[in-house]
């Protein structure tokens, strides 16, 4: 799968586990661990996954450097659910990034075949490519860039879903995973989201105040458009008496499985009843005020607000510990707010967009 053949997987930090993976393309710059490559990766992003009290850790986290271009980055957070959720989240973590890149490359090659005057796809970003004379080649508009990445992500998520169906040793009928991914290509950010994990941007306003901007929407059955689609496919949406605020998806004639999200990878018994694997994809051009993006599972967002998470990152003295600080703060909030409940898995990736004096940002 393209980059997969030429990438190396570095061992995670000791404080993490196998749920956290860092992959670096050998052609993407930087060295291996002996050359400081691992340290360089942790300056780009902070990754951490904290096991809860509900069984095996069903979250999975990944960072890929050299993704599509020399300084390109892919990061993703995946929250499994159901009996085989921990297997599915790891399968998606390992396959989906390279499926997205493969479909993106295929679109470039197809476009080059349609117009011989257009440059063929290379590892250079479209926004920074140059022609043979040294001048800049035409840059795609934000709308065109978004449409190209939306098609690549949609095709890749569909292919990933089909791949899960082929896994004979993993039962995905009532198990699946969410996926929230951030792709950085030069100054362009692409966010693809499926399910109820979330991406939040930290940015400085023109007046110098720190803001938390939610980049994704939680795709839950309480969203009217999501519920309408499910009901139109004969799926049922209702909450249990013991948790009246949590709407879930049920089969037409059985009170199962009670899925708490409206979109996912896997969950094949619910696919004919309105649970889809199509991600929502958005584009953002990075501005001078943008500091970092936090991707996290609902174990974090269920107990911490967007503003709290951004403040925790800014208050963390060392950037490489930012995601650990977020996960541990979420776990502590779970224990305080829901003492009778088991703490959920809490995982996060913090993708840094520029160097920042975190202490000064936190005081604003």
């Amino acid at each position: 799968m393209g980059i997969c053949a030429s990438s190396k997987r570095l061992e995670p930090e000791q404080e993490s586990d196998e749920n956290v993976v860092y992959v670096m393309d050998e052609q993407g710059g930087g060295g291996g661990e002996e050359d400081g490559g691992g340290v360089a990766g942790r300056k780009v992003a902070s990754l951490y996954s904290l096991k809860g009290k509900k069984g095996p850790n069903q979250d999975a986290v990944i960072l890929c450097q050299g993704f599509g271009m020399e300084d390109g980055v892919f990061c993703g957070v995946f929250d499994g659910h159901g009996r085989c959720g921990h297997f599915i989240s790891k399968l998606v973590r390992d396959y989906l990034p390279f499926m997205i890149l493969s479909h993106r490359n295929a679109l470039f090659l197809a476009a080059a075949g349609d117009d011989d005057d257009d440059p063929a796809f290379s590892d250079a970003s479209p926004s920074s490519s140059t022609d043979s004379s040294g001048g800049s080649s035409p840059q795609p508009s934000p709308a065109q860039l978004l449409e190209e990445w939306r098609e690549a992500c949609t095709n890749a998520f569909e292919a990933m879903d089909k791949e899960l169906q082929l896994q004979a040793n993993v039962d995905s009928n009532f198990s699946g995973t969410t996926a929230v991914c951030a792709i950085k290509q030069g100054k362009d950010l692409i966010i693809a989201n499926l399910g109820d994990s979330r991406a939040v941007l930290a940015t400085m306003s023109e007046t110098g105040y720190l803001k938390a901007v939610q980049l994704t929407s939680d795709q839950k059955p309480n969203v009217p458009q999501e519920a309408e689609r499910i009901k139109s496919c004969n799926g049922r949406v209702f909450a249990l008496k013991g948790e009246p605020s949590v709407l879930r998806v049920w089969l037409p004639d059985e009170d199962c499985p009670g899925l708490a999200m409206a979109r996912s990878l896997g969950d094949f018994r619910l696919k004919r009843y309105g649970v889809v694997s199509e991600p929502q994809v958005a584009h953002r051009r990075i501005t001078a005020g943008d500091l970092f993006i936090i991707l996290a599972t609902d174990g974090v967002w269920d107990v911490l607000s967007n503003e709290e998470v951004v403040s925790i990152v800014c208050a963390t003295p060392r950037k490489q510990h930012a995601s650990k600080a977020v996960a541990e703060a979420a776990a502590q909030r779970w224990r305080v707010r829901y003492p009778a409940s088991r703490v959920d898995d809490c995982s996060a990736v913090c993708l840094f967009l520029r160097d920042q004096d975190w202490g000064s940002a936190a005081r604003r």
Side-chain angles (χ1 to χ4, degrees), residues 96 99-108 110-111 114 143-159 183 190-192 277-282:
L96 183 63
M99 285 184 169
I100 292 175
L101 188 58
S102 177
H103 282 278
R104 174 66 167 156
N105 291 354
L107 289 174
F108 268 104
D114 291 340
Q144 179 184 354
L145 190 71
L146 172 60
E147 186 54 37
E148 290 172 351
W149 278 105
R150 178 184 286 122
E151 183 176 354
C153 290
T154 299
N155 292 343
F157 275 67
E158 181 181 2
I183 302 167
I190 302 297
I191 307 294
S277 60
E278 181 180 356
Q280 292 180 340
V281 185

Side-chain angles (χ1 to χ4, degrees), residues 73-153:
V73 178
F74 175 99
C75 56
V77 173
F78 312 95
D79 183 359
H81 55 264
R83 186 173 60 86
C84 295
H86 51 303
F87 296 117
I88 295 172
S89 63
K90 291 182 179 65
L91 279 170
V92 174
R93 174 199 66 192
D94 293 342
Y95 281 86
L96 183 63
F98 311 114
M99 285 184 169
I100 292 175
L101 188 58
S102 177
H103 282 278
R104 174 66 167 156
N105 291 354
L107 289 174
F108 268 104
L109 292 174
D114 291 340
D115 187 351
D116 292 337
D117 293 333
D118 286 343
F121 173 75
S122 69
D123 284 340
S125 166
S127 61
S128 61
S129 59
T130 57
D131 59 29
S132 59
S133 63
S136 297
S137 61
Q139 298 182 10
S141 67
Q144 179 184 354
L145 190 71
L146 172 60
E147 186 54 37
E148 290 172 351
W149 278 105
R150 178 184 286 122
E151 183 176 354
C153 290

Side-chain angles (χ1 to χ4, degrees), residues 149-353:
W149 278 105
R150 178 184 286 122
E151 183 176 354
C153 290
T154 299
N155 292 343
F157 275 67
E158 181 181 2
M160 185 72 248
D161 223 24
K162 293 179 179 178
E163 181 69 27
L164 290 176
Q165 285 186 297
L166 299 177
Q167 300 296 317
N169 297 327
V170 179
D171 186 354
S172 301
N173 284 320
F174 290 123
S175 297
T177 187
T178 69
V180 60
C181 311
I183 302 167
K184 182 176 180 290
Q185 302 282 277
K187 293 294 184 180
D188 292 302
L189 277 173
I190 302 297
I191 307 294
N193 182 51
L194 185 77
D196 58 0
S197 295
R198 187 184 302 172
V200 172
L201 170 74
T203 187
M204 299 297 293
S205 69
E206 294 181 356
T207 55
Y209 286 92
L210 187 65
K211 295 194 303 181
V213 180
Q214 187 168 325
L215 300 178
T216 59
S217 59
D218 300 344
Q219 297 158 2
K220 296 186 177 183
N222 62 353
V223 178
Q225 299 92 326
E226 302 287 337
E228 182 179 353
R229 183 188 67 250
I230 292 166
K231 292 176 181 178
S232 68
C233 295
N234 296 322
R236 294 184 297 157
V237 176
F238 64 87
L240 297 173
K241 292 182 179 180
E243 45 178 20
S245 62
V246 182
L247 291 176
R248 297 179 180 273
V249 184
W250 310 84
L251 291 171
D253 302 315
E254 299 179 61
D255 287 345
C256 70
L259 185 66
M261 63 205 69
R263 304 189 189 199
S264 69
L265 289 164
D267 296 302
F268 295 115
R269 283 289 301 277
L270 288 171
K271 284 295 164 66
R272 68 176 65 180
Y273 302 114
V275 173
V276 298
S277 60
E278 181 180 356
Q280 292 180 340
V281 185
H283 167 265
R284 180 182 176 91
R285 179 61 61 91
I286 299 173
T287 68
D290 295 343
L291 304 180
F292 56 84
I293 292 175
I294 282 280
L295 311 178
T297 58
D298 67 340
V300 171
W301 305 115
D302 282 349
V303 292
L304 295 175
S305 69
N306 298 345
E307 292 73 19
E308 286 176 318
V309 169
V310 166
S311 296
I312 290 168
V313 173
C314 288
T316 304
R318 301 183 65 185
K319 291 196 294 184
Q320 62 263 42
H321 296 158
S323 290
K324 181 180 180 182
V326 169
E328 290 183 339
Q332 178 61 24
R333 182 67 61 83
W334 271 93
R335 288 188 286 266
V336 172
R337 183 176 295 180
Y338 306 111
S341 300
R342 291 174 293 176
V343 177
D344 198 2
D345 303 326
C346 300
S347 302
V349 174
C350 184
L351 175 63
F352 305 114
L353 303 178

Side-chain angles (χ1 to χ4, degrees), residues 15-86:
E15 60 190 8
S16 300
D17 59 16
E18 75 279 2
N19 293 49
V20 179
V21 168
Y22 166 43
V23 180
M24 181 174 63
D25 179 24
E26 291 176 346
Q27 298 178 350
E33 290 177 298
E34 67 278 5
D35 297 323
V39 175
R42 291 194 293 273
K43 289 180 181 177
V44 169
S46 170
L47 302 84
Y48 195 74
S49 182
L50 182 64
K51 179 180 177 296
K53 301 295 184 179
K54 297 183 177 181
N57 190 349
Q58 294 193 306
D59 291 353
V61 180
I62 191 170
L63 168 69
C64 303
Q65 286 191 259
F67 188 83
M69 58 185 296
E70 184 174 353
D71 63 347
V73 178
F74 175 99
C75 56
V77 173
F78 312 95
D79 183 359
H81 55 264
R83 186 173 60 86
C84 295
H86 51 303

